Amino acid sequence: MFFSSWQDLFVVVISPSMNTMLLAALNQIKDTSLLLSEDYQDKKQFKKAIEMVLTPQKIIKGTLSIKDVNGKKKTFQAFRIQHNDARGPFKGGIRFHPNVCEDEVRALATLMSLKCAVAGIPYGGGKGGVVVDPGELTKDELKSLSIEYAKLITPHIGEWRDVPAPDVNTNGEIMSWMLEAYEKKVGYQSPGTFTGKPLELGGSLGRTEATGQGGVYVLEAYAKAKKLNIKASTVAVQGFGNVGLYFAKLASELGFSVVAVSDSSSGIYNPKGLDIKAIISYKEKGGAFKDYPLMKGTKLISNEELLELPVTVLVPAALENAITKENMEKISVQVVLEMANGPTTTEADTYLHEKGVDVIPDILSNSGGVTVSYFEWVQNLSGYYWSKERVNDELKVTITKAFTDIDKIKKEKNISYRRAANYISLKRIIDAMILRGRV
Ligand code: NAD
């Protein structure tokens, strides 16, 4: 017996009033479950498992209160959502942003469960958030807020329970404040409770480059599977922050011709290939691309034009929703490697798949970051620290295996990379839940 429709399967309510990101995450699970139901004899058990994956295990929320510079009380809403820990401790970043809301944190926690399962690392998924514009806080206020947040989540986290990390507007310094607050409360050292820490407090070598490096390993594995000639392949990268910069650097070192890069001010294009080293040193001095000193053959282009270039590999590494129904027909590349989270809308994704463009999904392409966070935790638990070479070697092994597993399912089932990645991750989570007897 197969399930042919979503309604056959679930009673969990997916309400149109949910935020778009949460709807998209739950719809991905819905879509994948119809494909996956063929693999499970016990349909009742399968249905229960899917219902559990659609719902987070625990929602922690509270109001954080701090004193501002004038001694006045300021309050902030805060969340930690623990989605699923069947495969290992909850894992996921903490976001400080004015647009944070419960639905968004829930969506991101769900996607973390899928991402960790795709990468094959022994974690579940979680996410945290505080509704705040950190740009409006003094450094002392930011520190107080971080400490109050750590106090809120302390009873629910721990190296074998839930391991937070930085996300949008949080960083190693904030992790250090939170770690100190956590350790004070529990009364012992526990560096493995937070990742993304500075090296001095047990951070890992290679973490800064990890997401870009992981993306390059995915692309290398794809090139091998598709017998793509790396030296004859061109690449355009949208976004030149932590992810885009290291991706462009490492891809060009591997032999790809990076012909276009951009930041929020402008794009730079040279069909014969850009001097990425020179661009990085310009960027490190704080320059915006709109003012980049152009050499012969190089010109400025808009971010929209960058996405429409006839290159082999298009790499959105800036924002969500970069490829939409507005520009999808103008995309003429062999492969889109999603380094940003959610850069392709569902409609554009379906269109590109039907047109024969491979879209390698974010949960695989940018999983290098969480994979090196896992290596940081492993090093903290053992108290022994690896060289950067070892970090990169282990990253390559993990990422290449993740790609190979997905490529195999893609070919076997004749589906897109995205559906294959979702299939594998959901199957791994459900199998762990069944083994534990949770369903
Ligand atoms: P970042 O803030 O360091 O860099 C963002 C870059 O995008 C900057 O160059 C900025 O100028 C550019 N940008 C901003 N608005 C733009 C626009 N409208 N058009 C074009 N470019 C624009 O961020 P990051 O850490 O590099 O993250 C980039 C993406 O990757 C995000 O979607 C993030 O969620 C995702 N991601 C990051 C990591 C990580 O480890 N940093 C891990 C997984 C996923």
Side-chain angles (χ1 to χ4, degrees), residues 115 207 211 238-244 262-264 303 317-319 339-341 366 369:
K115 189 183 288 191
R207 177 61 188 92
T211 307
Q238 186 195 42
F240 210 69
N242 172 268
V243 176
S262 70
D263 63 12
S264 55
N303 262 293
L319 301 172
M339 293 304 293
N341 282 318
N366 68 30

PDB file of all heavy atoms in Angstrom, residues 115 207 211 238-244 262-264 303 317-319 339-341 366 369, ligand 1:
ATOM      1  N   LYS A 115      19.705  18.815   7.953  1.00  0.00           N
ATOM      2  CA  LYS A 115      21.089  19.067   7.520  1.00  0.00           C
ATOM      3  C   LYS A 115      22.079  18.117   8.208  1.00  0.00           C
ATOM      4  O   LYS A 115      22.951  17.542   7.567  1.00  0.00           O
ATOM      5  CB  LYS A 115      21.473  20.530   7.808  1.00  0.00           C
ATOM      6  CG  LYS A 115      22.809  20.918   7.200  1.00  0.00           C
ATOM      7  CD  LYS A 115      23.227  22.340   7.535  1.00  0.00           C
ATOM      8  CE  LYS A 115      22.410  23.372   6.816  1.00  0.00           C
ATOM      9  NZ  LYS A 115      22.966  24.732   6.922  1.00  0.00           N
ATOM     10  N   ARG A 207      37.547  26.314  11.154  1.00  0.00           N
ATOM     11  CA  ARG A 207      36.119  26.624  11.231  1.00  0.00           C
ATOM     12  C   ARG A 207      35.759  27.826  10.362  1.00  0.00           C
ATOM     13  O   ARG A 207      34.711  27.854   9.729  1.00  0.00           O
ATOM     14  CB  ARG A 207      35.683  26.871  12.700  1.00  0.00           C
ATOM     15  CG  ARG A 207      34.219  27.270  12.858  1.00  0.00           C
ATOM     16  CD  ARG A 207      33.265  26.190  12.343  1.00  0.00           C
ATOM     17  NE  ARG A 207      31.856  26.592  12.309  1.00  0.00           N
ATOM     18  CZ  ARG A 207      31.248  27.142  11.263  1.00  0.00           C
ATOM     19  NH1 ARG A 207      31.928  27.424  10.157  1.00  0.00           N
ATOM     20  NH2 ARG A 207      29.967  27.414  11.303  1.00  0.00           N
ATOM     21  N   THR A 211      32.630  26.425   5.822  1.00  0.00           N
ATOM     22  CA  THR A 211      31.441  26.346   4.964  1.00  0.00           C
ATOM     23  C   THR A 211      31.847  26.464   3.495  1.00  0.00           C
ATOM     24  O   THR A 211      31.395  25.675   2.653  1.00  0.00           O
ATOM     25  CB  THR A 211      30.418  27.428   5.375  1.00  0.00           C
ATOM     26  OG1 THR A 211      30.171  27.287   6.778  1.00  0.00           O
ATOM     27  CG2 THR A 211      29.116  27.272   4.629  1.00  0.00           C
ATOM     28  N   GLN A 238      27.592  34.836  -5.929  1.00  0.00           N
ATOM     29  CA  GLN A 238      26.868  35.993  -5.394  1.00  0.00           C
ATOM     30  C   GLN A 238      27.087  36.060  -3.885  1.00  0.00           C
ATOM     31  O   GLN A 238      26.720  35.130  -3.161  1.00  0.00           O
ATOM     32  CB  GLN A 238      25.371  35.894  -5.675  1.00  0.00           C
ATOM     33  CG  GLN A 238      24.655  37.169  -5.247  1.00  0.00           C
ATOM     34  CD  GLN A 238      23.145  37.013  -5.155  1.00  0.00           C
ATOM     35  OE1 GLN A 238      22.640  36.020  -4.666  1.00  0.00           O
ATOM     36  NE2 GLN A 238      22.442  38.033  -5.605  1.00  0.00           N
ATOM     37  N   GLY A 239      27.673  37.168  -3.423  1.00  0.00           N
ATOM     38  CA  GLY A 239      27.967  37.307  -1.982  1.00  0.00           C
ATOM     39  C   GLY A 239      29.435  37.027  -1.741  1.00  0.00           C
ATOM     40  O   GLY A 239      29.984  36.028  -2.231  1.00  0.00           O
ATOM     41  N   PHE A 240      30.100  37.919  -1.017  1.00  0.00           N
ATOM     42  CA  PHE A 240      31.540  37.757  -0.781  1.00  0.00           C
ATOM     43  C   PHE A 240      31.822  37.964   0.697  1.00  0.00           C
ATOM     44  O   PHE A 240      32.727  38.675   1.099  1.00  0.00           O
ATOM     45  CB  PHE A 240      32.318  38.760  -1.653  1.00  0.00           C
ATOM     46  CG  PHE A 240      33.680  38.267  -2.062  1.00  0.00           C
ATOM     47  CD1 PHE A 240      33.820  37.216  -2.957  1.00  0.00           C
ATOM     48  CD2 PHE A 240      34.828  38.865  -1.559  1.00  0.00           C
ATOM     49  CE1 PHE A 240      35.079  36.766  -3.339  1.00  0.00           C
ATOM     50  CE2 PHE A 240      36.092  38.432  -1.937  1.00  0.00           C
ATOM     51  CZ  PHE A 240      36.218  37.378  -2.832  1.00  0.00           C
ATOM     52  N   GLY A 241      30.984  37.329   1.541  1.00  0.00           N
ATOM     53  CA  GLY A 241      31.209  37.363   2.990  1.00  0.00           C
ATOM     54  C   GLY A 241      32.000  36.136   3.390  1.00  0.00           C
ATOM     55  O   GLY A 241      32.811  35.631   2.615  1.00  0.00           O
ATOM     56  N   ASN A 242      31.751  35.638   4.590  1.00  0.00           N
ATOM     57  CA  ASN A 242      32.489  34.470   5.070  1.00  0.00           C
ATOM     58  C   ASN A 242      32.382  33.301   4.083  1.00  0.00           C
ATOM     59  O   ASN A 242      33.382  32.679   3.720  1.00  0.00           O
ATOM     60  CB  ASN A 242      31.955  34.056   6.447  1.00  0.00           C
ATOM     61  CG  ASN A 242      32.548  32.748   6.921  1.00  0.00           C
ATOM     62  OD1 ASN A 242      31.989  31.693   6.678  1.00  0.00           O
ATOM     63  ND2 ASN A 242      33.707  32.799   7.557  1.00  0.00           N
ATOM     64  N   VAL A 243      31.179  33.028   3.612  1.00  0.00           N
ATOM     65  CA  VAL A 243      30.972  31.854   2.760  1.00  0.00           C
ATOM     66  C   VAL A 243      31.511  32.099   1.349  1.00  0.00           C
ATOM     67  O   VAL A 243      32.315  31.322   0.822  1.00  0.00           O
ATOM     68  CB  VAL A 243      29.462  31.476   2.728  1.00  0.00           C
ATOM     69  CG1 VAL A 243      29.217  30.324   1.777  1.00  0.00           C
ATOM     70  CG2 VAL A 243      28.980  31.124   4.131  1.00  0.00           C
ATOM     71  N   GLY A 244      31.058  33.194   0.711  1.00  0.00           N
ATOM     72  CA  GLY A 244      31.426  33.460  -0.682  1.00  0.00           C
ATOM     73  C   GLY A 244      32.917  33.661  -0.876  1.00  0.00           C
ATOM     74  O   GLY A 244      33.511  33.162  -1.847  1.00  0.00           O
ATOM     75  N   SER A 262      30.265  39.102  -6.228  1.00  0.00           N
ATOM     76  CA  SER A 262      29.532  40.331  -5.894  1.00  0.00           C
ATOM     77  C   SER A 262      29.431  40.513  -4.391  1.00  0.00           C
ATOM     78  O   SER A 262      29.581  39.558  -3.627  1.00  0.00           O
ATOM     79  CB  SER A 262      28.111  40.296  -6.482  1.00  0.00           C
ATOM     80  OG  SER A 262      27.327  39.346  -5.801  1.00  0.00           O
ATOM     81  N   ASP A 263      29.223  41.770  -3.995  1.00  0.00           N
ATOM     82  CA  ASP A 263      28.781  42.047  -2.623  1.00  0.00           C
ATOM     83  C   ASP A 263      27.488  42.846  -2.757  1.00  0.00           C
ATOM     84  O   ASP A 263      26.940  42.943  -3.866  1.00  0.00           O
ATOM     85  CB  ASP A 263      29.866  42.769  -1.806  1.00  0.00           C
ATOM     86  CG  ASP A 263      30.236  44.135  -2.358  1.00  0.00           C
ATOM     87  OD1 ASP A 263      29.500  44.647  -3.242  1.00  0.00           O
ATOM     88  OD2 ASP A 263      31.246  44.698  -1.928  1.00  0.00           O
ATOM     89  N   SER A 264      26.986  43.428  -1.649  1.00  0.00           N
ATOM     90  CA  SER A 264      25.686  44.088  -1.774  1.00  0.00           C
ATOM     91  C   SER A 264      25.775  45.354  -2.642  1.00  0.00           C
ATOM     92  O   SER A 264      24.755  45.820  -3.151  1.00  0.00           O
ATOM     93  CB  SER A 264      25.125  44.430  -0.399  1.00  0.00           C
ATOM     94  OG  SER A 264      26.063  45.188   0.307  1.00  0.00           O
ATOM     95  N   ASN A 303      23.900  42.681  -9.345  1.00  0.00           N
ATOM     96  CA  ASN A 303      23.667  41.358  -8.758  1.00  0.00           C
ATOM     97  C   ASN A 303      22.688  40.550  -9.598  1.00  0.00           C
ATOM     98  O   ASN A 303      22.826  39.334  -9.710  1.00  0.00           O
ATOM     99  CB  ASN A 303      23.160  41.501  -7.324  1.00  0.00           C
ATOM    100  CG  ASN A 303      24.286  41.324  -6.334  1.00  0.00           C
ATOM    101  OD1 ASN A 303      24.830  40.232  -6.212  1.00  0.00           O
ATOM    102  ND2 ASN A 303      24.673  42.396  -5.658  1.00  0.00           N
ATOM    103  N   ALA A 317      25.512  32.829  -2.606  1.00  0.00           N
ATOM    104  CA  ALA A 317      26.130  32.715  -1.271  1.00  0.00           C
ATOM    105  C   ALA A 317      25.839  33.965  -0.451  1.00  0.00           C
ATOM    106  O   ALA A 317      26.652  34.382   0.370  1.00  0.00           O
ATOM    107  CB  ALA A 317      27.634  32.496  -1.414  1.00  0.00           C
ATOM    108  N   ALA A 318      24.665  34.589  -0.700  1.00  0.00           N
ATOM    109  CA  ALA A 318      24.345  35.818   0.045  1.00  0.00           C
ATOM    110  C   ALA A 318      23.064  35.652   0.847  1.00  0.00           C
ATOM    111  O   ALA A 318      23.101  35.467   2.069  1.00  0.00           O
ATOM    112  CB  ALA A 318      24.229  36.989  -0.922  1.00  0.00           C
ATOM    113  N   LEU A 319      21.937  35.696   0.138  1.00  0.00           N
ATOM    114  CA  LEU A 319      20.641  35.785   0.825  1.00  0.00           C
ATOM    115  C   LEU A 319      19.692  34.693   0.371  1.00  0.00           C
ATOM    116  O   LEU A 319      19.911  34.062  -0.657  1.00  0.00           O
ATOM    117  CB  LEU A 319      19.979  37.128   0.453  1.00  0.00           C
ATOM    118  CG  LEU A 319      20.720  38.394   0.781  1.00  0.00           C
ATOM    119  CD1 LEU A 319      19.990  39.571   0.168  1.00  0.00           C
ATOM    120  CD2 LEU A 319      20.826  38.569   2.285  1.00  0.00           C
ATOM    121  N   MET A 339      24.914  27.800  -1.635  1.00  0.00           N
ATOM    122  CA  MET A 339      25.721  28.009  -0.431  1.00  0.00           C
ATOM    123  C   MET A 339      24.958  28.824   0.620  1.00  0.00           C
ATOM    124  O   MET A 339      25.153  28.643   1.810  1.00  0.00           O
ATOM    125  CB  MET A 339      27.038  28.690  -0.781  1.00  0.00           C
ATOM    126  CG  MET A 339      27.981  27.832  -1.609  1.00  0.00           C
ATOM    127  SD  MET A 339      28.375  26.241  -0.835  1.00  0.00           S
ATOM    128  CE  MET A 339      29.329  26.761   0.582  1.00  0.00           C
ATOM    129  N   ALA A 340      24.102  29.754   0.168  1.00  0.00           N
ATOM    130  CA  ALA A 340      23.238  30.470   1.128  1.00  0.00           C
ATOM    131  C   ALA A 340      22.141  29.513   1.578  1.00  0.00           C
ATOM    132  O   ALA A 340      21.929  28.469   0.957  1.00  0.00           O
ATOM    133  CB  ALA A 340      22.626  31.693   0.459  1.00  0.00           C
ATOM    134  N   ASN A 341      21.437  29.853   2.646  1.00  0.00           N
ATOM    135  CA  ASN A 341      20.278  29.065   3.056  1.00  0.00           C
ATOM    136  C   ASN A 341      19.062  29.541   2.279  1.00  0.00           C
ATOM    137  O   ASN A 341      18.775  30.739   2.237  1.00  0.00           O
ATOM    138  CB  ASN A 341      20.027  29.236   4.561  1.00  0.00           C
ATOM    139  CG  ASN A 341      20.998  28.412   5.385  1.00  0.00           C
ATOM    140  OD1 ASN A 341      21.291  27.263   5.061  1.00  0.00           O
ATOM    141  ND2 ASN A 341      21.524  29.005   6.451  1.00  0.00           N
ATOM    142  N   ASN A 366      26.060  23.610   2.044  1.00  0.00           N
ATOM    143  CA  ASN A 366      26.666  24.435   3.098  1.00  0.00           C
ATOM    144  C   ASN A 366      26.814  23.684   4.429  1.00  0.00           C
ATOM    145  O   ASN A 366      26.989  24.305   5.480  1.00  0.00           O
ATOM    146  CB  ASN A 366      25.954  25.785   3.241  1.00  0.00           C
ATOM    147  CG  ASN A 366      24.536  25.679   3.791  1.00  0.00           C
ATOM    148  OD1 ASN A 366      24.224  24.776   4.571  1.00  0.00           O
ATOM    149  ND2 ASN A 366      23.689  26.612   3.404  1.00  0.00           N
ATOM    150  N   GLY A 369      30.001  23.838   7.459  1.00  0.00           N
ATOM    151  CA  GLY A 369      30.076  24.612   8.705  1.00  0.00           C
ATOM    152  C   GLY A 369      29.693  23.767   9.906  1.00  0.00           C
ATOM    153  O   GLY A 369      30.444  23.672  10.888  1.00  0.00           O
TER     154      GLY A 369
HETATM  155  P1  NAD B   1      28.132  37.407   5.514  1.00  0.00           P
HETATM  156  O1  NAD B   1      27.297  38.403   6.213  1.00  0.00           O
HETATM  157  O2  NAD B   1      29.536  37.179   5.954  1.00  0.00           O
HETATM  158  O3  NAD B   1      28.214  37.783   3.952  1.00  0.00           O
HETATM  159  C1  NAD B   1      27.092  38.072   3.151  1.00  0.00           C
HETATM  160  C2  NAD B   1      27.555  38.606   1.806  1.00  0.00           C
HETATM  161  O4  NAD B   1      26.408  38.831   0.987  1.00  0.00           O
HETATM  162  C3  NAD B   1      28.286  39.950   1.874  1.00  0.00           C
HETATM  163  O5  NAD B   1      29.308  39.973   0.889  1.00  0.00           O
HETATM  164  C4  NAD B   1      27.206  40.958   1.486  1.00  0.00           C
HETATM  165  O6  NAD B   1      27.746  42.139   0.902  1.00  0.00           O
HETATM  166  C5  NAD B   1      26.452  40.144   0.466  1.00  0.00           C
HETATM  167  N1  NAD B   1      25.085  40.644   0.257  1.00  0.00           N
HETATM  168  C6  NAD B   1      24.230  41.148   1.179  1.00  0.00           C
HETATM  169  N2  NAD B   1      23.094  41.540   0.562  1.00  0.00           N
HETATM  170  C7  NAD B   1      23.249  41.257  -0.733  1.00  0.00           C
HETATM  171  C8  NAD B   1      22.438  41.427  -1.880  1.00  0.00           C
HETATM  172  N3  NAD B   1      21.219  41.985  -1.792  1.00  0.00           N
HETATM  173  N4  NAD B   1      22.915  41.014  -3.075  1.00  0.00           N
HETATM  174  C9  NAD B   1      24.134  40.458  -3.159  1.00  0.00           C
HETATM  175  N5  NAD B   1      24.962  40.293  -2.133  1.00  0.00           N
HETATM  176  C10 NAD B   1      24.512  40.683  -0.943  1.00  0.00           C
HETATM  177  O7  NAD B   1      27.276  36.047   5.536  1.00  0.00           O
HETATM  178  P2  NAD B   1      27.830  34.571   5.354  1.00  0.00           P
HETATM  179  O8  NAD B   1      28.205  34.011   6.684  1.00  0.00           O
HETATM  180  O9  NAD B   1      28.798  34.536   4.234  1.00  0.00           O
HETATM  181  O10 NAD B   1      26.481  33.814   4.946  1.00  0.00           O
HETATM  182  C11 NAD B   1      25.969  33.867   3.600  1.00  0.00           C
HETATM  183  C12 NAD B   1      24.842  32.859   3.471  1.00  0.00           C
HETATM  184  O11 NAD B   1      25.322  31.551   3.799  1.00  0.00           O
HETATM  185  C13 NAD B   1      23.638  33.080   4.398  1.00  0.00           C
HETATM  186  O12 NAD B   1      22.484  32.638   3.722  1.00  0.00           O
HETATM  187  C14 NAD B   1      23.928  32.157   5.565  1.00  0.00           C
HETATM  188  O13 NAD B   1      22.743  31.784   6.251  1.00  0.00           O
HETATM  189  C15 NAD B   1      24.528  30.978   4.821  1.00  0.00           C
HETATM  190  N6  NAD B   1      25.343  30.089   5.663  1.00  0.00           N
HETATM  191  C16 NAD B   1      26.448  30.560   6.320  1.00  0.00           C
HETATM  192  C17 NAD B   1      27.217  29.676   7.049  1.00  0.00           C
HETATM  193  C18 NAD B   1      28.469  30.139   7.743  1.00  0.00           C
HETATM  194  O14 NAD B   1      29.180  29.273   8.275  1.00  0.00           O
HETATM  195  N7  NAD B   1      28.803  31.422   7.714  1.00  0.00           N
HETATM  196  C19 NAD B   1      26.858  28.326   7.163  1.00  0.00           C
HETATM  197  C20 NAD B   1      25.725  27.877   6.484  1.00  0.00           C
HETATM  198  C21 NAD B   1      24.984  28.775   5.726  1.00  0.00           C
END
